[in-house]
Amino acid sequence: MDAVCTFCGNVCDDVEFDVNTQKGKRFCALGLAKFREKERIKSPMIDGKEASYEEAIEKAADILVSSKKPLLYGWASTVNEAIRYGVLLTEKVRGVYDQCASVCHAPGTLAVIEEGIPGGSLGAIKNRADVVIFWGSNPLEAHPRHPTRYSVMAKGFLINDRKDRKVIVVDVRKTKSAKMADKFIQIKPGYDYAIISALRALVKGEDIEANEVGGVPKEELAELADMMKNAKYGVILYGLGVTQSRGRDRNIENAVKLIQLLNRYARWIIWPMRGHYNVVGAGEVPAWEVGYQYAIDFSRGYPRFSPAEFSAVEMLLRRDCDAMLVVSSDPAAHFPRRAVEHMKNIPVIQIDPFPNMTTLLSNVVIPSAVAGIEAEGWAYRMDGIPLRVKKLVDSPYWSDEKILKEMLRIVEEKLEG
Amino acid sequence: MIEVEIISGRTIDQGKTVEEKLSEEYFKAVSYCEINETDFKKLGLKEGDRVKVKTEFGEVVVFAKIGELPRGVIFIPMGPYANQVISDDTDGTGMPRFKGVKGTVVKTEEDVKSVRELLGVE
């Protein structure tokens, strides 16, 4: 059956999957692993005991309504319809909405607030880009079909074949992606900002005093600056190497400034390599509902945005939340150790198809249908293009959308009653 | 003992098993660190040995592998093992420092904990 893949931000809409034989076509290894059957959370649970959906949702609503400041976190691996109910639910219970980008690409959001984003679509990259720079991103392991569909081997209107593209990888280690590049530039960890600053100077035609910056010889930087200036259509596709290391949001801000400068000489865009299939939606949906993308506090009855206070890791480190709802995410596995400690002290509700480390800490567990296989809905691809993910098979599990809609209804009843 | 900078990040095996976190495959995919070959020999390691990685934020025992990395840099796949030692300081952005945290690596005879043991729940 024609399917739309719900693993990474590529949201590949050209794949096929047969649920009976468990075989797929055109999938990458990640997508195929996602679509294959695996162990599920078998039933809703309250304190380790099996319960009905109704009982578990009632208990979850009780926890949310009786807490002073619940944190509602996750959202990147579900559809826009479910996220929308999540935002409305957070507002009702006067909690805090935060999403996976908080520990992923949110620094880019901060940079975009300051500088805007000179961006473009994956289609534009496929059709036009003759210089492609992967900076701190490793598509062959995180977005395996990105190079073939859009950015390296893909044919486009103005690109006949691989030879029409110059591909550069900038990274601290020689990743699998570095090996497919025409040029690999190895930098020292944490020197992205300094290197981008040096490139800005060189593109402007200024000299730099240092012989090397962040482990890269001046001649190599000058060569790169020259290549950038002479591109017909260039793109920097940046990954978490840039946002999760020293400088974080400032690295992206500096990179955007470099792109703005390059646009005086050539056509350039910059774009983040988004990880989960709908992590863009986890930011866009609250943005169209309440104006902000993450770290949104509703405790005063209106939305306030402040990552220093309301991002999930900061909230947990400061022990500033007294309950947590986790939807389609696993913070117990992916947050720093000290942040996870507080999750053990508070009631945790989980909505997810699969048992994970957060399940082990959760007081209420509500299994859900897998979007793209057992449930449908809208998702934003990494370049902000909305695609409808499909339902291929009936399932006994409720969709995230149904669970959250029901939870919101019961919360409203309890608040009114 | 050697001083290192710790990098965490995605791998294809981590991605393939990310929805099976309580499985043996996920454990294998995330409970190791890659070390530069010269550093690996300097620590007296052979493939399959364990090392203790320590930072000011915590410590963790993982399996050691040779990886294509510069000297003084180690790589741990993103996940619960890396998260024992990465920096929880977000500088007000919400983003912890998952990459480029200074620490030390030493050979150890201690066992690698399961994800349940790491979490402290059974």
Side-chain angles (χ1 to χ4, degrees), chain A residues 128-402:
Chain A
R128 296 174 187 280
D130 62 335
V131 177
V132 178
I133 301 178
F134 291 102
W135 195 307
S137 64
N138 182 10
L140 285 188
E141 298 207 63
H143 309 86
R145 294 189 72 215
H146 197 285
T148 41
R149 285 197 87 195
Y150 305 113
S151 49
V152 180
M153 284 77 92
K155 286 180 186 176
F157 291 135
L158 304 175
I159 302 293
N160 293 320
D161 57 27
R162 173 71 179 83
K163 289 196 283 296
D164 284 351
R165 279 202 171 93
K166 199 85 180 159
V167 177
I168 298 135
V169 167
V170 182
D171 210 311
V172 299
R173 61 193 179 106
K174 196 169 187 180
T175 59
K176 285 184 181 165
S177 303
K179 290 166 189 166
M180 73 170 179
D182 297 301
K183 189 170 177 58
F184 169 49
I185 298 174
Q186 191 157 20
I187 68 172
K188 284 190 202 161
Y191 279 84
D192 305 78
Y193 190 95
I195 291 166
I196 293 163
S197 296
L199 285 172
R200 283 174 63 191
L202 291 163
V203 168
K204 262 193 273 185
E206 292 168 5
D207 192 18
I208 53 169
E209 286 177 21
N211 291 325
E212 62 92 34
V213 182
V216 188
K218 182 169 152 183
E219 298 73 45
E220 209 175 339
L221 289 170
E223 201 182 304
L224 179 60
D226 198 46
M227 188 192 296
M228 289 173 120
K229 261 174 119 163
N230 290 308
K232 289 196 188 88
Y233 189 103
V235 53
I236 293 181
L237 293 161
Y238 69 90
L240 301 184
V242 192
T243 62
Q244 290 185 335
S245 52
R246 185 167 62 152
R248 288 173 266 221
D249 51 318
R250 298 296 177 190
N251 294 336
I252 309 302
E253 214 178 295
N254 209 10
V256 170
K257 284 178 175 162
L258 171 63
I259 297 294
Q260 290 165 347
L261 176 66
L262 281 165
N263 272 300
R264 294 183 190 173
Y265 307 97
R267 176 78 181 102
W268 271 82
I269 64 163
I270 180 164
W271 204 256
M273 297 286 279
R274 307 301 301 263
H276 296 286
Y277 79 89
N278 195 28
V279 67
V280 174
E284 288 300 309
V285 175
W288 39 260
E289 289 288 339
V290 301
Y292 304 111
Q293 297 220 0
Y294 76 113
I296 312 163
D297 168 70
F298 291 93
S299 63
R300 292 186 184 168
Y302 55 89
R304 294 187 298 157
F305 167 65
S306 174
E309 294 171 275
F310 311 130
S311 59
V313 170
E314 291 282 0
M315 294 268 298
L316 289 167
L317 288 175
R318 284 201 322 276
R319 301 176 182 181
D320 201 17
C321 49
D322 57 349
M324 194 167 171
L325 169 68
V326 179
V327 180
S328 68
S329 174
D330 188 6
H334 290 150
F335 279 5
R337 182 184 56 83
R338 250 177 4 108
V340 178
E341 283 303 312
H342 187 55
M343 289 178 68
K344 295 184 202 168
N345 302 330
I346 57 174
V348 177
I349 306 152
Q350 179 188 39
I351 304 175
D352 204 283
F354 308 105
N356 57 31
M357 288 179 70
T358 299
T359 321
L360 302 174
L361 298 177
S362 295
N363 304 79
V364 179
V365 178
I366 308 175
S368 60
V370 184
I373 304 171
E374 299 164 342
E376 60 183 357
W378 288 97
Y380 287 100
R381 197 170 70 182
M382 66 158 73
D383 57 349
I385 304 292
L387 293 167
R388 188 146 184 94
V389 306
K390 295 185 176 181
K391 177 180 167 173
L392 309 179
V393 64
D394 285 329
S395 144
Y397 297 107
W398 291 20
S399 68
D400 293 323
E401 182 185 359
K402 183 175 171 183

Side-chain angles (χ1 to χ4, degrees), chain A residues 7 29-30 33-34 38 102-104 107 110 140-142 144 172-174 176 179 186 189 240-241 243-246 248-249 294 307-308 311 313-314 317 330 333-338 340 344 354-357 360-361, chain B residues 5 7-16 18-22 26 34 57-59 68-70 73 75 78-80 83-84 86-100 115-116 118-121:
Chain A
F7 189 89
L30 298 177
K34 164 94 199 187
K38 52 185 82 76
S102 182
V103 293
C104 202
L110 295 176
L140 285 188
E141 298 207 63
V172 299
R173 61 193 179 106
K174 196 169 187 180
K176 285 184 181 165
K179 290 166 189 166
Q186 191 157 20
L240 301 184
T243 62
Q244 290 185 335
S245 52
R246 185 167 62 152
R248 288 173 266 221
D249 51 318
Y294 76 113
S311 59
V313 170
E314 291 282 0
L317 288 175
D330 188 6
H334 290 150
F335 279 5
R337 182 184 56 83
R338 250 177 4 108
V340 178
K344 295 184 202 168
F354 308 105
N356 57 31
M357 288 179 70
L360 302 174
L361 298 177
Chain B
E5 278 195 65
I7 306 284
S8 68
R10 272 200 189 277
T11 68
I12 201 91
D13 288 336
Q14 178 270 340
K16 276 159 70 178
V18 74
E19 289 182 338
E20 297 170 283
K21 290 220 184 67
L22 308 180
Y26 180 73
E34 291 180 9
F57 306 97
E59 60 178 56
E68 212 166 328
L69 289 154
V73 178
F75 173 84
M78 69 181 275
N83 290 340
Q84 301 302 306
I86 60 106
S87 163
D88 50 43
D89 183 356
T90 88
D91 279 349
T93 65
M95 169 65 78
R97 186 115 66 84
F98 288 100
K99 297 172 194 280
V115 294
R116 286 170 196 269
L118 267 192
L119 202 55
V121 294

